[in-house]
Amino acid sequence: MRNNRQSKNEKIPLQKTAAKKIKRHPVDHGTKPQSSDAILADLKHRLAEIYDLNAAGSVLAWDEATYMPNGGAVARGRQIAMLRRLAHERFTDPKLGRLLDRLDLCSDNLPADDASLIRVVRRDYEKAIRIPAEYVARANAHGSASYNAWRRARPANDFATVIPFLEKTLDLSREYASFFAPYDHIADPMIDDADEGLTATTVQRVFTELRRELAPMVRAISEQPAADDACLYRSFDETAQIGFGLSVAAQMGYDLERGRLDKTRHPFCTKFAAGDVRITTRVRENDIRDALFSTLHETGHAMYEQGVNAAYEGTPLGSGVSSGVHESQSRLWENVVARSRPFWEHYYPALQRTFADQLGSVPLDTFYRAINKVERSLIRTDADELTYNLHIMLRFDLELKLLEGRLRVTDLPEAWRAGMEADLGITPPDDREGCLQDVHWYSGNIGGGFQSYAIGNILSAQFFAAATKAHPEISSEIANGQFGTLHGWLTDNIYEPGRTLTPHEIVARATGSPMTMAPYLAYLRKKYGELYRLPLS
Amino acid sequence: MRNNRQSKNEKIPLQKTAAKKIKRHPVDHGTKPQSSDAILADLKHRLAEIYDLNAAGSVLAWDEATYMPNGGAVARGRQIAMLRRLAHERFTDPKLGRLLDRLDLCSDNLPADDASLIRVVRRDYEKAIRIPAEYVARANAHGSASYNAWRRARPANDFATVIPFLEKTLDLSREYASFFAPYDHIADPMIDDADEGLTATTVQRVFTELRRELAPMVRAISEQPAADDACLYRSFDETAQIGFGLSVAAQMGYDLERGRLDKTRHPFCTKFAAGDVRITTRVRENDIRDALFSTLHETGHAMYEQGVNAAYEGTPLGSGVSSGVHESQSRLWENVVARSRPFWEHYYPALQRTFADQLGSVPLDTFYRAINKVERSLIRTDADELTYNLHIMLRFDLELKLLEGRLRVTDLPEAWRAGMEADLGITPPDDREGCLQDVHWYSGNIGGGFQSYAIGNILSAQFFAAATKAHPEISSEIANGQFGTLHGWLTDNIYEPGRTLTPHEIVARATGSPMTMAPYLAYLRKKYGELYRLPLS
């Protein structure tokens, strides 16, 4: 994932919900008139300091997750919180609002990038100033307490203990939404934070269609003989696993002069500057999938951030445009590319050489089927490409019901079991493998945290289809371990603009259409139709 | 070293020179009267934020030196500078001065630690406010430019290129001193920054005596057959070297729950919190001394910082008291302990097991003589325990002459050669091995940067003598790999107080006398008299 937990604390909210509610600040008549150049320079200077404060906080969080000794934890939490607070104070400074007001008066004459900057900063600023500082402090304190309670409760299968925490999180999430009232759906402000332009209604419409299409595919596959994936669970040397993944990442286009890979409990991608975008991975000795696909997933996020125009560094333009578009890149590289047959036609011999004892006698076809085995399983993060979406949609539905008041926290375990039964046909034996499995609700808001994963899947196929339409040679290049054409197209169309365009504009400009599910469904039907010899298409 | 270059940027100046010049700030009558408790709480709150800003800067600097990819360099320099600037701005805020003024009025009733806090903060504050912000920016910018010029010039043996940089550094150093005028000697303000209570005159007096004592010892030893140290320069596996050093460090008392060891180009110790004090080391495959003694040197610094009363965290009380006392701890553990015969009686068998091919057939006596080989050599950082002081005193003398105007920068190489010839009887073939070898003058001030190393040597023996007088069993404990009694005495007498006492008070309380050279000379005479069978004592 894209450092979901961290990003909640690390970023100023990214988009505003209600553009119509912009309030003008009283003009500060005490200051001298300035040219728009001077005002812009002042604005950029302030933004750069905010960017650097957030970057410093991210370095401290990266260190906390990678190398920090246990004894550093208490001070580190305090130090990160201070940097976030200083950044937030500076960003919500009314002086910054007055600079934006002045710039609005002369924005017709500005270069396009500066106009984009003002639009994005305005959006972020109007969102940030609606959130009281005391709420931020209260929500952060509760987030830490809740996370700690969850860390103890999950291994103990003790849902009862987290109920009061989750109820307070729900209250805080509703309070958060209230800062952006009126809204059509109470989840809309949180969804808009992650995926500008999407709402509960639009996501529900998309998910209804996706579920309708996926359910029969999963059913049909489950009636086939299961793929034999025993080869994935042998003993694989940790250093060799990391080395192989990193070598592939570098060949895909992850620039290690401007990045690096370290080990953590939960994989993430983090950015300190255009020249320093890092990823982390996790290794399981007895599961070759984990380090490899985590690394390539985070590589997708990292190549996106490395590809943003470096001229935007130090401003809100200099990052990925939304969670959904970000996930589209991690999923594109992890799944569409690195779980494809052409990819392994090139890389499997090298993998066999690296792990000769374990894979030397395993045919490519067996390995390819193993890494694409569809299985109705309980844990989201272990799920295959196809059923993964069902896990996401279950969580999204439950989030909406909790926020709407149609589901009580105490009834969550039962609702989870019922949902798993309905969507996947299996029932978790306990809450550890049910509603206690994901950190999201226990460390941040309820709402807005899950839809991006499925949106990312949909967009990954849409982008890949557009890239291969423009460059039909991409598939055969992948079969030769060459990624330059694909990486170049993605850079030009998605990475380079950063936040100068909206998510919708990015999708439309790159693919010629708004977000659409057709390419994703076609991709799934073709891939799994061939894998399981089904008449899916 | 104790992160000399970093500490210049990382710390607010530590002591004031001229207590008599304290200016009172106009009392702020607009605010409500506060109790001394409330004023103290306000002060501590401000200090904690300053502490955390500096700690964040140190994390970024540690990462820069250990793991940062090359691409991160430009942004990282900017981010560290910003954090230092924010800390400096907060510390020199006149509001902080007013809090101190109010506290002075009621300081008779305060607990001793709070009284110490006010004394130390007052001292640091009065020093900090004398240095204009524009000077700090100018000096830092020049420091970076000069450091980069030196990095290129040293391998090219190109002193001519750095002359203008060094001349400007000299001007800046004089300007720095001028902020603290009047002084007895122009180097006094810089010396006092590092070693409160010392002056150029007192250091010169100490060094005159030290040189007079060392010169005949070095001469007598050089007339003896040279020790055979070939065993140190075989090929030693890097990981095994680091592992051995870290294992000894942990046994000495370095708490790895609150610390860790990483590799860097230049070894240093850095502190982010009482619970997070890290060290770094450097490894040469063909020189077993480098990683081992660097690690144990930094371990001494780290145990000092880990031993400071954790209640002082977040205030200026929570760190070592001076550079000289800090060096005494690195030198005590590196030299007095880890270059002693009892130490190796315990550890040499383990080292032989670790490097059986290289050391299995080398007798303990040969190894012990090798690591204590006295040699008149050109490079300070490679020098033995005895001649090391001559290197330091040469630099100190040249610093004073440069500051006094008695030596021109252009004449420095010749003065260096003459000094080496006079003190060590050898002449550097070029400036690489002469006046270009140390980073100090090329990245910070001229003045105040070198004396602490020799002061540390003197104090290391004085402290060790006092500890063994109180606990005669320490020597035999070291011969059994036990360090608890020594570590405990050092903690009680030196580490725990942090900066609540002055350096002079620490020395006098721990040893019953002011700094004195007798224990150091006795230590050297006994050790080298035995090693070289000389009638030195």
Side-chain angles (χ1 to χ4, degrees):
Chain A
M1 75 186 184
R2 183 171 158 245
N3 198 3
N4 185 289
R5 182 163 170 266
Q6 189 180 330
S7 65
K8 289 271 173 182
N9 300 319
E10 149 184 332
K11 287 201 170 174
I12 39 184
L14 292 182
Q15 288 91 16
K16 76 164 192 302
T17 304
K20 60 194 177 240
K21 300 195 94 195
I22 291 178
K23 280 179 284 186
R24 299 291 155 187
H25 299 83
V27 174
D28 184 351
H29 293 286
T31 56
K32 280 189 293 191
Q34 284 176 297
S35 72
S36 66
D37 279 357
I39 303 172
L40 253 176
D42 186 353
L43 179 69
K44 287 180 182 175
H45 179 76
R46 289 166 186 267
L47 294 172
E49 190 168 287
I50 293 162
Y51 180 93
D52 282 339
L53 282 166
N54 279 315
S58 298
V59 176
L60 267 62
W62 170 89
D63 177 73
E64 184 178 37
T66 49
Y67 296 112
M68 188 186 75
N70 291 333
V74 173
R76 183 57 53 87
R78 187 183 71 219
Q79 289 159 356
I80 293 172
M82 176 204 57
L83 292 168
R84 304 294 182 219
R85 178 174 54 75
L86 293 179
H88 185 78
E89 282 171 8
R90 277 164 172 67
F91 192 66
T92 54
D93 184 341
K95 286 185 193 139
L96 196 143
R98 285 195 287 271
L99 292 178
L100 290 172
D101 288 350
R102 286 194 214 145
L103 284 166
D104 280 347
L105 302 174
C106 53
S107 61
D108 292 345
N109 308 320
L110 290 171
D113 281 351
D114 288 335
S116 290
L117 177 68
I118 294 165
R119 178 179 56 75
V120 169
V121 176
R122 164 69 74 188
R123 196 166 58 198
D124 293 353
Y125 174 76
E126 296 297 333
K127 205 154 199 171
I129 58 171
R130 286 162 188 256
I131 308 162
E134 70 78 24
Y135 173 86
V136 174
R138 199 154 34 95
N140 282 344
H142 173 68
S144 296
S146 173
Y147 173 75
N148 287 323
W150 170 78
R151 274 190 64 169
R152 288 189 302 272
R154 192 194 171 189
N157 189 39
D158 179 11
F159 184 73
T161 297
V162 298
I163 288 175
F165 290 96
L166 211 45
E167 284 174 339
K168 188 165 174 190
T169 303
L170 188 55
D171 288 343
L172 286 164
S173 301
R174 289 188 177 126
E175 186 179 353
Y176 182 86
S178 74
F179 303 138
F180 302 95
Y183 40 70
D184 289 334
H185 190 284
I186 187 170
D188 284 352
M190 283 81 87
I191 293 172
D192 190 78
D193 281 353
D195 292 297
E196 182 196 357
L198 294 183
T199 64
T201 305
T202 53
V203 175
Q204 277 179 306
R205 197 181 308 137
V206 171
F207 282 5
T208 301
E209 185 187 348
L210 185 57
R211 186 182 261 128
R212 193 175 57 224
E213 298 285 342
L214 288 181
M217 290 172 68
V218 173
R219 206 176 311 121
I221 289 170
S222 69
E223 286 160 6
Q224 300 294 316
D228 174 11
D229 59 353
C231 64
L232 305 176
Y233 308 111
R234 294 171 180 167
S235 172
F236 300 92
D237 175 70
E238 178 175 309
T239 308
Q241 283 197 57
I242 291 179
F244 187 86
L246 188 59
S247 144
V248 175
Q251 289 166 58
M252 282 176 163
Y254 180 37
D255 179 359
L256 291 172
E257 277 292 300
R258 299 187 291 137
R260 57 175 288 119
L261 170 67
D262 296 274
K263 276 202 306 174
T264 45
R265 184 187 298 261
H266 302 291
F268 62 85
C269 170
T270 184
K271 183 181 195 173
F272 312 141
D276 195 351
V277 181
R278 305 188 191 180
I279 62 174
T280 70
T281 193
R282 166 180 66 191
V283 190
R284 287 190 219 169
E285 198 228 328
N286 293 307
D287 185 347
I288 199 175
R289 299 175 310 165
D290 210 20
L292 178 59
F293 291 110
S294 293
T295 299
L296 301 183
H297 179 101
E298 302 306 334
T299 294
H301 287 306
M303 291 197 296
Y304 188 174
E305 291 295 338
Q306 285 191 333
V308 173
N309 190 332
Y312 305 148
E313 173 163 325
T315 79
L317 296 182
S319 77
V321 74
S322 72
S323 294
V325 175
H326 237 299
E327 283 301 317
S328 81
Q329 293 314 297
S330 53
R331 298 313 216 150
L332 187 153
W333 289 100
E334 176 195 357
N335 289 339
V336 182
V337 173
R339 277 192 169 92
S340 76
R341 178 126 195 158
F343 178 87
W344 286 108
E345 282 166 9
H346 179 77
Y347 280 107
Y348 192 59
L351 191 69
Q352 285 184 303
R353 283 194 298 277
T354 307
F355 299 109
D357 291 347
Q358 301 91 331
L359 298 175
S361 61
V362 177
L364 168 60
D365 193 61
T366 304
F367 179 80
Y368 173 63
R369 286 172 185 282
I371 59 169
N372 286 296
K373 180 182 183 180
V374 175
E375 192 168 25
R376 296 184 295 182
S377 63
L378 296 168
I379 303 296
R380 172 182 64 87
T381 55
D382 291 338
D384 59 86
E385 203 177 338
L386 200 57
T387 59
Y388 188 88
N389 298 292
L390 299 173
H391 289 269
I392 295 305
M393 292 187 283
L394 168 66
R395 286 154 179 74
F396 184 77
D397 288 350
L398 294 174
E399 284 189 329
L400 297 199
K401 283 184 184 152
L402 285 166
L403 286 167
E404 291 163 6
R406 292 193 292 129
L407 174 65
R408 290 182 308 170
V409 166
T410 49
D411 297 332
L412 183 61
E414 185 47 41
W416 189 286
R417 279 190 286 274
M420 286 296 290
E421 180 65 40
D423 285 352
L424 282 146
I426 53 174
T427 314
D430 60 25
D431 296 329
R432 259 183 303 222
E433 301 195 90
C435 64
L436 278 173
Q437 71 179 263
D438 289 316
V439 65
H440 302 59
W441 295 337
Y442 302 97
S443 66
N445 275 338
I446 291 176
F450 280 109
Q451 77 286 334
S452 315
Y453 296 112
I455 298 292
N457 284 340
I458 293 166
L459 289 175
S460 72
Q462 185 172 349
F463 287 136
F464 190 77
T468 49
K469 188 174 171 195
H471 303 284
E473 69 276 23
I474 283 176
S475 259
S476 59
E477 287 182 2
I478 291 174
N480 288 304
Q482 291 164 0
F483 306 96
T485 304
L486 176 60
H487 188 248
W489 187 90
L490 292 168
T491 301
D492 293 345
N493 287 281
I494 301 168
Y495 305 167
E496 196 275 339
R499 292 180 67 202
T500 54
L501 306 173
T502 65
H504 173 77
E505 287 167 346
I506 292 272
V507 173
R509 201 186 68 141
T511 70
S513 106
M515 181 170 75
T516 165
M517 213 179 303
Y520 186 50
L521 295 174
Y523 160 77
L524 292 178
R525 287 198 185 99
K526 181 165 188 301
K527 177 170 181 175
Y528 289 96
E530 287 170 6
L531 270 163
Y532 284 90
R533 300 183 182 86
L534 299 174
L536 290 177
S537 51
Chain B
M1 73 186 181
R2 182 170 158 246
N3 197 4
N4 186 289
R5 185 167 166 264
Q6 190 179 330
S7 66
K8 289 270 175 186
N9 301 319
E10 150 183 332
K11 288 201 172 174
I12 41 183
L14 291 183
Q15 288 92 14
K16 74 167 193 301
T17 304
K20 60 193 178 241
K21 298 195 98 194
I22 291 177
K23 279 179 283 185
R24 298 292 154 187
H25 298 83
V27 174
D28 185 349
H29 293 286
T31 56
K32 279 189 292 190
Q34 282 177 298
S35 72
S36 67
D37 280 357
I39 303 172
L40 253 177
D42 187 353
L43 179 69
K44 287 179 182 175
H45 180 78
R46 289 166 186 268
L47 294 173
E49 190 167 287
I50 293 161
Y51 180 93
D52 283 339
L53 283 165
N54 278 315
S58 297
V59 176
L60 267 62
W62 171 89
D63 178 72
E64 183 178 39
T66 50
Y67 296 112
M68 188 186 76
N70 290 333
V74 173
R76 183 56 54 88
R78 188 184 71 219
Q79 289 159 356
I80 293 173
M82 176 204 57
L83 292 168
R84 303 294 182 220
R85 178 174 55 74
L86 292 180
H88 186 77
E89 282 172 7
R90 278 164 172 67
F91 192 67
T92 54
D93 185 341
K95 285 185 194 140
L96 197 142
R98 285 195 289 269
L99 292 177
L100 291 172
D101 289 349
R102 286 195 214 143
L103 284 165
D104 280 347
L105 301 174
C106 53
S107 61
D108 292 345
N109 307 318
L110 290 171
D113 280 351
D114 287 335
S116 291
L117 178 67
I118 294 166
R119 179 178 56 75
V120 169
V121 175
R122 165 69 75 189
R123 196 164 60 198
D124 292 354
Y125 174 77
E126 296 296 333
K127 204 153 199 171
I129 59 171
R130 286 162 188 256
I131 308 162
E134 69 77 27
Y135 172 86
V136 174
R138 196 153 38 93
N140 282 345
H142 173 67
S144 295
S146 173
Y147 173 74
N148 287 323
W150 170 78
R151 275 190 64 170
R152 287 189 301 274
R154 191 193 171 190
N157 189 39
D158 181 9
F159 184 74
T161 297
V162 298
I163 288 175
F165 290 95
L166 211 44
E167 284 174 338
K168 188 166 174 192
T169 303
L170 187 55
D171 288 343
L172 285 165
S173 301
R174 289 187 176 126
E175 185 178 354
Y176 182 86
S178 75
F179 302 138
F180 302 94
Y183 39 70
D184 289 334
H185 190 285
I186 187 170
D188 284 351
M190 283 81 87
I191 293 172
D192 189 79
D193 281 351
D195 292 297
E196 182 197 356
L198 293 183
T199 64
T201 305
T202 53
V203 175
Q204 277 179 305
R205 197 180 309 137
V206 170
F207 282 4
T208 302
E209 184 187 349
L210 184 58
R211 186 182 261 127
R212 194 175 58 224
E213 298 286 341
L214 288 180
M217 290 172 67
V218 172
R219 204 176 312 119
I221 289 170
S222 69
E223 287 161 4
Q224 300 294 316
D228 174 10
D229 59 352
C231 64
L232 305 176
Y233 309 110
R234 295 172 180 165
S235 173
F236 301 92
D237 174 70
E238 178 175 308
T239 307
Q241 283 197 57
I242 291 179
F244 186 86
L246 189 58
S247 144
V248 175
Q251 289 166 57
M252 282 176 164
Y254 180 37
D255 180 359
L256 292 172
E257 278 293 300
R258 300 187 291 138
R260 56 175 288 119
L261 171 67
D262 296 274
K263 277 201 307 173
T264 45
R265 184 188 298 263
H266 301 292
F268 63 85
C269 171
T270 184
K271 182 180 195 173
F272 312 141
D276 195 351
V277 180
R278 305 188 191 181
I279 62 174
T280 69
T281 192
R282 166 180 68 191
V283 190
R284 287 190 219 169
E285 198 228 327
N286 292 306
D287 185 346
I288 198 175
R289 298 173 311 164
D290 210 20
L292 179 59
F293 291 110
S294 293
T295 298
L296 301 183
H297 179 103
E298 302 306 334
T299 294
H301 287 306
M303 291 197 295
Y304 187 176
E305 291 295 337
Q306 285 190 333
V308 173
N309 190 331
Y312 306 147
E313 172 163 326
T315 79
L317 296 182
S319 77
V321 73
S322 73
S323 294
V325 175
H326 237 299
E327 284 300 319
S328 81
Q329 293 314 297
S330 53
R331 297 313 215 151
L332 188 153
W333 290 100
E334 176 196 357
N335 289 339
V336 183
V337 173
R339 278 192 170 93
S340 76
R341 177 125 196 162
F343 179 87
W344 286 108
E345 281 166 9
H346 178 78
Y347 280 107
Y348 192 58
L351 190 70
Q352 284 183 304
R353 284 194 297 277
T354 306
F355 299 109
D357 290 348
Q358 300 92 330
L359 298 175
S361 62
V362 177
L364 168 60
D365 193 62
T366 304
F367 179 78
Y368 174 62
R369 285 172 187 281
I371 60 169
N372 285 297
K373 180 182 182 179
V374 175
E375 192 168 26
R376 296 183 295 183
S377 63
L378 297 168
I379 303 296
R380 172 182 66 86
T381 55
D382 290 339
D384 58 86
E385 202 177 340
L386 200 58
T387 60
Y388 188 89
N389 298 292
L390 299 172
H391 291 270
I392 296 305
M393 293 187 282
L394 168 66
R395 287 152 179 75
F396 183 78
D397 288 350
L398 294 174
E399 283 188 330
L400 298 198
K401 284 183 184 152
L402 285 166
L403 287 167
E404 291 163 7
R406 293 191 294 129
L407 174 65
R408 291 182 308 170
V409 166
T410 48
D411 297 332
L412 183 61
E414 185 47 41
W416 188 286
R417 280 191 286 273
M420 285 296 289
E421 180 65 41
D423 286 352
L424 282 146
I426 53 174
T427 313
D430 60 27
D431 296 329
R432 259 184 302 223
E433 302 194 90
C435 62
L436 278 173
Q437 69 179 263
D438 289 315
V439 65
H440 302 57
W441 295 338
Y442 304 96
S443 66
N445 275 339
I446 290 176
F450 281 109
Q451 77 285 333
S452 315
Y453 296 111
I455 298 293
N457 284 340
I458 293 166
L459 289 174
S460 71
Q462 185 173 349
F463 288 135
F464 190 77
T468 48
K469 188 174 171 195
H471 303 284
E473 69 275 24
I474 284 176
S475 258
S476 60
E477 286 182 2
I478 290 175
N480 287 304
Q482 291 164 2
F483 306 97
T485 304
L486 176 60
H487 188 248
W489 186 90
L490 292 168
T491 301
D492 293 345
N493 287 279
I494 301 168
Y495 304 168
E496 196 276 339
R499 291 180 68 202
T500 53
L501 306 173
T502 65
H504 174 77
E505 287 167 347
I506 293 272
V507 173
R509 201 185 69 142
T511 70
S513 105
M515 181 171 76
T516 165
M517 211 179 303
Y520 186 52
L521 294 174
Y523 160 79
L524 292 178
R525 287 197 186 100
K526 181 165 187 301
K527 178 170 182 175
Y528 290 96
E530 286 170 8
L531 270 164
Y532 285 91
R533 300 183 182 87
L534 299 174
L536 289 177
S537 51

